[in-house]
């Protein structure tokens, strides 16, 4: 088991920018892409991922301090700290069951593809940790290794199905042909956010408000440009954080840069994926007729759309406000605040890019997510204890990505039910 864990950690340790080109090259050869073209595609995807990660790091290092400043300024005092997805991911990979789940997830995916139960080939191995987290939760709560594997398998099946079902609207809105999102957190938020968005669209008055980047740009001219929207939202976060004038300008320009650069980084990555997707479609059409195949990718690709980024950034102060006033919540949002645009990845297309409807939908989801994250805290604390350094003053940790994810929370409840029955 230790040897398998070392292999898994070694693969994950080199990072997406190194492993993803190798995976794309191999997938390209499987789908009969000429080797030279497959190499170029893989390298292009890797470069696109480097660019996306650079912009995400820029986003995180700007929003994180702003959120911390808001917490300090408004005197928020909650006993469970949102340690962010990296802490929970590290705790997940440290569990012995996680190493076993890597090949299990891949095998389940391949079986489903062979049986035509899914259209998605999930090549986003870094986000396999969401499925592994469900397995680790089942194992930690029940102490039953087999039950933990069962949880991970069922989670994998759900991820494949949700990826398929959400792909058409997602592809149409983001222009990501042949791609589906297999990120567990984006899917979990979508499972609640999409139905809520449908209800929001039926509310008289609100359903007439069309707040899309395109309509904002048409009505307000230069102030509707994505980069200007980023500057305005960034400045708003700086004001809430109590920044001085220079600090407000700096975070404003940074968010404007994020809104401008991210679509271009996603475009580079998609240039590498297109030859693979086209060859896969041709091969499948010859063998299966009209059958489609999607490449399962990280929901980070959604941040190339101004509506998704704007929705996520606007949700930062809203999430902090909800945390303060929500009865029963003990989670102080922090580590995953910069990850909220990923949570919006599948909600925004369902609302056709309407930022207002997306924000209202996610406000309801975040309210429920904070309560789930509070309930999940003891298990996530146990999972990460001794593996990661807890934030200062944290008696317990949780996060929005996993603890506030309805998919992971359901498996927590299933594990607790198993203990009651057996």
């Amino acid at each position: 088991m230790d040897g398998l864990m070392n292999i898994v950690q070694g693969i994950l340790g080199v990072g997406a920018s190194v492993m993803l080109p190798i995976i794309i090259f191999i997938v390209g050869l499987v789908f009969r892409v000429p080797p030279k073209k497959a190499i170029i595609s893989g390298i292009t995807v890797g470069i696109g991922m480097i660019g996306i990660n650079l912009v995400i790091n820029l986003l995180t290092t700007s929003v994180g301090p702003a959120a911390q400043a808001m917490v300090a300024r408004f005197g928020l005092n909650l006993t469970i700290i949102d340690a962010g997805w990296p802490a929970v991911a590290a705790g997940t990979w440290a569990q012995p069951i996680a190493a076993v789940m890597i090949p299990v997830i891949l095998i389940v995916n391949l079986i489903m593809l062979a049986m035509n139960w899914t259209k998605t080939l999930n090549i986003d191995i870094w986000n396999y940790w969401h499925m592994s987290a469900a397995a680790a939760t089942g194992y930690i709560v029940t102490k039953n290794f087999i039950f933990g594997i069962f949880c991970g398998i069922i989670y994998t099946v759900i991820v494949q199905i949700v990826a398929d079902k959400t792909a058409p609207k997602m592809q149409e809105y983001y222009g990501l042909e042949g791609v589906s999102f297999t990120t567990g957190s984006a899917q979990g938020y979508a499972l609640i956010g999409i139905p809520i968005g449908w209800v929001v669209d039926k509310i008289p008055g609100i359903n007439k408000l069309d707040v899309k980047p395109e309509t904002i740009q048409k009505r307000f001219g230069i102030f509707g440009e994505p980069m200007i929207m980023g500057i305005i939202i960034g400045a708003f976060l700086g004001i809430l954080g109590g920044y001085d004038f220079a600090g407000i300008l700096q975070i404003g320009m940074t968010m404007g840069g994020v809104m401008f650069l991210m679509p271009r980084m996603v475009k580079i990555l998609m240039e590498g994926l297109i030859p693979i997707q086209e060859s896969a479609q041709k091969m499948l059409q010859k063998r299966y007729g009209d059958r489609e195949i999607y490449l399962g990718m990280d929901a980070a690709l959604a941040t190339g759309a101004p509506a998704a980024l704007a929705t996520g950034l606007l949700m930062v102060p809203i999430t902090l406000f909800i945390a303060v006033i929500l009865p029963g919540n003990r989670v102080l949002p922090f580590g995953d605040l910069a990850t909220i645009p990923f949570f919006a990845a599948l909600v925004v297309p369902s609302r056709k890019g309407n930022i207002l409807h997306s924000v209202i939908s996610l406000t309801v989801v975040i309210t429920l997510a904070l309560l789930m994250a509070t309930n999940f805290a003891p298990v996530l604390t146990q999972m990460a204890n001794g593996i990661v350094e807890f934030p200062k003053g944290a008696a317990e940790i949780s996060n929005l990505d996993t603890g506030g994810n309805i998919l992971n929370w359901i498996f927590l409840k299933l594990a607790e039910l198993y203990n009651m029955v057996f």
Side-chain angles (χ1 to χ4, degrees):
M1 185 65 71
D2 289 341
L4 182 58
M5 180 64 76
N6 289 335
I7 292 172
V8 170
Q9 295 289 7
I11 292 173
L12 295 171
V14 299
S17 60
V18 175
M19 279 304 300
L20 196 52
I22 296 173
I23 294 171
I24 293 296
F25 173 70
I26 294 171
V27 171
L29 293 182
V30 170
F31 290 124
R32 299 176 185 173
V33 177
K36 179 182 176 181
K37 200 171 184 179
I39 291 172
I40 297 298
S41 291
I43 292 173
T44 303
V45 169
I47 291 171
M49 186 57 69
I50 288 172
I52 289 171
N53 285 333
L54 285 173
V55 181
I56 288 174
N57 287 337
L58 184 63
L59 174 68
T60 303
T61 54
S62 298
V63 173
Q68 193 170 20
M70 287 182 224
V71 170
R73 187 181 185 199
F74 295 107
L76 307 185
N77 185 24
L78 298 164
T79 58
I80 301 171
I81 306 297
D82 166 19
W85 71 264
V88 177
T92 296
W93 290 125
Q95 306 303 316
I97 201 169
V100 177
M101 281 307 302
I102 297 293
V104 168
I105 293 166
L106 184 58
I107 290 169
V108 170
N109 188 179
L110 293 176
I111 290 173
M112 292 182 71
L113 274 172
M115 300 298 291
N116 200 17
W117 294 341
T118 185
K119 298 178 181 180
T120 296
L121 174 62
N122 188 358
I123 61 175
D124 184 22
I125 63 172
W126 286 266
N127 276 309
Y128 279 19
W129 79 265
H130 287 100
M131 292 81 106
S132 298
T137 298
Y139 173 62
I140 288 173
V141 173
T142 67
K143 310 302 180 186
N144 187 313
F145 200 87
I146 301 301
F147 180 80
I149 295 293
F150 170 78
C151 290
I153 290 174
I154 300 302
Y155 196 115
T156 301
V157 172
I158 294 172
V159 164
Q160 295 296 135
I161 294 172
V162 175
D164 287 350
K165 296 296 184 183
T166 55
K169 282 190 177 181
M170 183 277 292
Q171 292 173 6
E172 180 183 1
Y173 182 74
Y174 294 124
L176 301 174
E177 185 179 350
V179 171
S180 63
F181 288 161
T182 47
T183 309
S185 53
Q187 292 194 356
Y189 277 74
L191 286 176
I192 304 177
I194 291 176
I196 290 173
W198 182 87
V199 173
V200 169
D201 194 45
K202 304 300 178 184
I203 300 174
I206 292 179
N207 60 355
K208 302 295 183 183
L209 298 176
D210 186 17
V211 187
K212 300 177 184 175
E214 299 82 8
T215 55
I216 294 173
Q217 187 172 352
K218 184 177 179 180
R219 181 169 297 182
F220 297 102
I222 188 174
F223 293 101
E225 291 284 346
M227 70 180 79
I228 303 298
M229 288 172 57
I231 291 172
I232 293 171
I233 294 172
F236 175 63
L237 295 178
I239 291 169
L240 289 178
Y243 285 20
D244 59 20
F245 184 68
I248 291 170
L249 292 180
Q250 287 172 350
I251 190 172
M253 279 301 298
T254 300
M255 292 302 101
V258 168
M259 295 282 273
F260 181 82
L261 291 171
M262 187 62 85
R264 286 154 176 78
M265 298 304 103
V266 173
K267 185 178 179 181
I268 292 171
L269 186 144
M270 286 306 300
E271 286 178 8
L273 285 181
I274 287 171
I276 309 297
Q277 193 270 335
E278 289 177 346
S279 294
Q281 291 302 122
K282 288 178 182 177
M283 181 176 171
L284 288 170
Q285 283 174 358
K286 288 180 181 178
R287 183 169 297 183
Y288 300 108
D290 294 332
R291 185 178 175 188
E292 291 181 291
I293 188 168
Y294 306 142
L295 297 179
M297 296 290 289
D298 194 324
L301 296 182
T303 56
L309 262 179
T311 297
L313 293 176
L314 289 171
M315 285 304 303
V316 171
I318 292 172
T319 300
L320 287 167
F321 176 73
I322 294 170
V324 174
I325 66 170
L326 180 62
N329 173 57
R330 295 194 295 120
V331 174
L332 174 62
F334 179 64
D336 273 338
L337 286 173
T339 314
I340 295 178
F342 305 159
F343 303 162
L346 293 172
V347 176
V348 170
S350 74
R351 297 297 92 227
K352 299 178 181 178
N354 190 317
I355 296 171
L356 176 63
H357 289 190
S358 300
V359 166
I360 293 172
S361 303
L362 281 171
T363 297
V364 178
V365 181
I366 286 290
T367 301
L368 299 173
L370 286 166
L371 296 175
M372 288 187 285
T374 298
N375 183 245
F376 219 132
V379 172
L380 293 184
T381 300
Q382 182 180 347
M383 190 182 296
N385 192 28
I387 308 300
V388 297
E389 184 177 347
F390 283 18
K392 185 178 179 181
E396 289 184 298
I397 67 165
S398 188
N399 74 342
L400 296 176
D401 186 286
T402 308
N405 183 338
I406 183 66
L407 283 176
N408 291 85
W409 186 79
I410 286 172
F411 284 98
L412 171 66
K413 297 296 114 179
L414 284 175
E416 292 174 348
L417 179 61
Y418 177 94
N419 279 346
M420 291 173 61
V421 173
F422 299 102

